Amino acid sequence: MSLPFSEVNPDEIPPLKTPGAVPGIASKSDAKPGLFRLSIRFKLTFPVLIFVSLMTYFLFNTTFRLVRQLAIEKNTSRLLATAEVYAETLKVPLLLNAPQDVKDIMEWMGSRSDVLEVRLEDSSGKVFESIHPEAQIPEVVKDPKFNGVFTVSPDTYAAAVPLMAEERNLGRVVVLFSHLGFDLELKNIFFERLVMAFAMMVLLALLSMGVTWLAIRPIFALQQTVRKILAGNLNARARIRSFDEIEDLGEAFNEMVSRLSSSLDRLRSRTEALEESEEKFRQIVEGASDIIFAFSGEGELMLLNRGFAGHPREEFFRQGFSLFAALNSEDSRKVFEAAMDEVCRRKEPMLNVPLTCVNAQTEEEIFYLLSLTPLFDHDGNLKLLQGMMRDVTELRRVEMMKDSLIRDVTHELKTPAAKFQMTVDWLEKELDRQGLKDSFKDLLKILHSNIDRLMNTVSSVMDLSKLESGSVQIDRVIFDLREVLQQVFQDLEPLVRQKGLALEASLGSRPLMVSGDKNMLYRLFSNLIGNSLKFTPRGKIMLRAFLNDGKVRAEVEDTGVGIEPEFLESIFERFVQKTAASLGIGVGLTICRDIARLHEARIWAESEGLGKGAIIKLEFLPQHLTN
Amino acid sequence: MGSKVLIVDDDDELHILYGLYLRGESFTILEAFNGEEAFTLMEKDKPDLIVLDMIMPVMDGETFLRMIQGKGELKKIPVIIASVNDKIPAELLKFGNVRTVLRKPFTIQLLSETIQKQLAS
């Protein structure tokens, strides 16, 4: 199972091979059907060409009309002049009254190819001479009052010129000119030119195709580069030297590719670094000897570094929380679930919760210490519940072995010693009965004191061992300390009195509630009194208990030999003794200190100096603060 | 005083030691080496007080105590538990006949005093 890091495979970053992903670059075969495509060359040239064609045609047309008009005017004026000349020429023979000359002249006039008819009219409009009488004269011209040129068609004109002789109107001369084919010729000329123009247009079109293609070529080069990049060559760049916008595009494109490429490289190297880091941490986590796991806020198993208790890792991921719970023995399961609950609720870690699980395969018990740490996001919601389980089965086994060892050793030491004592006691009694006690007084004394010493030493060492091995479990009860003190007082008072001292107790009238182990506290105070007993030759020992500022305080004061200031702290150390000859091996106060520690109570000594007695004081935490 | 004290303990040396001392104090001593034996003895000869060791073969102190609770007359006899064990189940201490617990090893005088005290009350 991966750690909650995203897995990014740089090789899987899509290389944009999907067709159509880069619009416009799609080749013809990739083009979607129905998509109309028109090359930019056509888009550029066609409108121009069409416009130019239209303009050309328009120009030609208007020019043609203009030229025709001009030609007609030119013709009419020329023809008018010709007709006037004719009229003048004919006037002479007419005035001379030589009809034959008139006719000859008219014949001659009519012999011109472009003269269709020459006609003479008298002043009333009657035609008296005509060379081609069948010629069609337009009605307008027939009107005797008409003078000038009438354009029948661009090819045909009718001119009528009055014959004037000194103010006398002799009539009219009507000439019909025709230059057949003139118009057609004109049209042909223009048409020819137009055709030529269009031919030029076509050439121009072809030329522009060529030119545009050349201009477009850099775009192909760009296309080429893009294809290379798509194929995977990220170093491909477009080399475009077209001195135009395409070159700019090429440069911009290159820049873009470079930047993207370096971003990609950075991303890749970061991903690699991330993967390396992830791998490293994965190895560390999976290699850890403890079981490391994490649940999401919704209770889904996100991480587990190994399987355990006879179940493989996969099974845990399949079954999740329920398998974790089911692994436990019955009581342990409640503890486990309660711990999970509490951590989520209180939003605080819980450490070293003891669990008992059963190995699914071997059915052996496994002991774990569970530590849970909640992790929260910015809004304070539970993001991850991280846990560690340490297999302490071996440790526990060792501890239990230690415990039983200590127990056994204790037993093995104490029992013989006790029996020793009992034997000596009986012997003493028997000798006393027989009246021989005095003879053996010294021997008996030696026996007694040494047995006491042995017993004490054994007890102290055993108790200290137990305490220091950490294998002592406190039975935590909340009770009135005065109970224990009362008991201590009762039990030790005879002993103290025996030594010639007085034991006093002042326990107050109010209950002094503490949380702890009655037996251990009994031991503590009897040790303290025993200690005082050792160092107080005469006077009294006082046992006090009271409330001080909400905290329970207990004190043992004596009128004994006192403690020098430099020893006030060290007396609680192991094996530190006032004098070598003192009874015991000097662990009594150490035991007291250890018991006090277990109860989270403070213990210290006060003394005004040598010969001024000493007080050992004990202060418990205020009740509501202890667990 | 002539009181009968039943010592129930699997350790024969202790029997000798207790016996020597206590007989000297004018107690009558009955000896049993386990709970079962104790029962048998008690049926014939009811003691005035029992000194009970907890760890014994055949029938241990706890079982013996529990069994006694069912026996009308016997359950009234005061019992002093003498044991090496730190942990005596709280339940047992609640039995009416269990007067006190002496932790081994104790001095024989202490035992004698305790016996006398319990018989007196």
Side-chain angles (χ1 to χ4, degrees), chain A residues 69-88:
Chain A
Q69 198 62 32
L70 214 69
I72 291 175
E73 279 174 23
K74 258 230 119 92
N75 276 347
T76 49
S77 59
R78 182 175 58 88
L79 288 173
L80 189 66
T82 309
E84 282 172 352
V85 166
Y86 282 10
E88 284 303 309

Side-chain angles (χ1 to χ4, degrees), chain A residues 346-542:
Chain A
R346 293 218 323 212
K347 307 199 172 178
E348 267 171 27
M350 256 180 100
L351 302 177
N352 294 330
V353 176
L355 296 180
T356 309
C357 296
V358 178
N359 186 315
Q361 289 173 351
T362 65
E363 297 198 4
E364 284 172 348
E365 275 189 330
I366 319 171
F367 299 100
Y368 290 107
L369 285 181
L370 169 72
S371 295
L372 292 169
T373 308
L375 299 167
F376 299 97
D377 63 17
H378 299 297
D379 306 318
N381 300 316
L382 183 67
K383 195 168 72 170
L384 214 60
L385 183 59
Q386 184 233 10
M388 267 177 60
M389 284 169 68
R390 174 161 297 172
D391 188 335
V392 293
T393 314
E394 198 53 34
L395 274 173
R396 232 186 96 124
R397 215 165 53 80
V398 166
E399 262 174 35
M400 298 208 294
M401 263 170 54
K402 248 200 303 186
D403 284 349
S404 23
L405 182 68
I406 290 178
R407 232 196 333 270
D408 291 343
V409 167
T410 312
H411 191 261
E412 286 308 300
L413 285 173
K414 281 191 179 174
T415 314
K419 290 183 184 173
F420 230 128
Q421 200 167 44
M422 284 194 253
T423 312
V424 169
D425 283 344
W426 180 82
L427 266 176
E428 191 176 359
K429 230 178 83 172
E430 193 56 29
L431 284 173
D432 196 25
R433 207 171 56 82
Q434 295 186 15
L436 291 169
K437 190 166 161 188
D438 278 343
S439 342
F440 295 101
K441 192 168 66 174
D442 292 333
L443 263 174
L444 285 170
K445 195 159 129 191
I446 294 172
L447 276 170
H448 266 303
S449 82
N450 278 288
I451 288 181
D452 282 346
R453 194 160 163 172
L454 184 64
M455 286 294 284
N456 273 331
T457 307
V458 168
S459 285
S460 303
V461 170
M462 285 299 111
D463 288 346
L464 190 66
S465 282
K466 266 203 296 187
L467 280 168
E468 305 248 312
S469 81
S471 61
V472 175
Q473 278 181 322
I474 299 197
D475 265 342
R476 277 202 184 271
V477 207
I478 300 178
F479 64 96
D480 187 350
L481 184 64
R482 295 183 305 165
E483 255 179 65
V484 165
L485 296 177
Q486 197 75 267
Q487 189 73 36
V488 171
F489 178 79
Q490 266 179 279
D491 295 345
L492 294 179
E493 202 275 330
L495 219 68
V496 175
R497 205 168 3 100
Q498 239 174 40
K499 225 196 144 191
L501 301 165
L503 180 63
E504 289 171 12
S506 146
L507 306 177
S509 51
R510 284 194 296 174
L512 305 167
M513 307 308 284
V514 295
S515 161
D517 186 313
K518 287 191 195 176
N519 286 316
M520 292 180 85
L521 289 173
Y522 177 94
R523 186 61 204 274
L524 191 159
F525 287 102
S526 61
N527 266 20
L528 286 180
I529 293 177
N531 200 62
S532 288
L533 206 57
K534 250 195 273 185
F535 293 104
T536 309
R538 69 193 80 82
K540 54 185 177 176
I541 301 174
M542 285 155 290

Side-chain angles (χ1 to χ4, degrees), chain A residues 283-352:
Chain A
Q283 281 180 346
I284 291 174
V285 167
E286 289 190 353
S289 55
D290 294 341
I291 295 156
I292 302 174
F293 63 87
F295 283 97
S296 72
E298 290 83 43
E300 193 189 326
L301 183 64
M302 306 297 292
L303 162 71
L304 178 64
N305 70 336
R306 61 152 63 91
F308 60 99
H311 295 276
R313 214 163 93 162
E314 296 72 40
E315 214 181 315
F316 280 99
F317 280 109
R318 270 201 304 273
Q319 297 190 34
F321 184 84
S322 55
L323 182 56
F324 270 86
L327 278 177
N328 287 277
S329 65
E330 217 181 282
D331 295 327
S332 182
R333 189 175 316 159
K334 293 187 197 128
V335 170
F336 176 69
E337 286 167 357
M340 297 286 266
D341 262 348
E342 192 171 326
V343 168
C344 293
R345 205 172 34 84
R346 293 218 323 212
K347 307 199 172 178
E348 267 171 27
M350 256 180 100
L351 302 177
N352 294 330

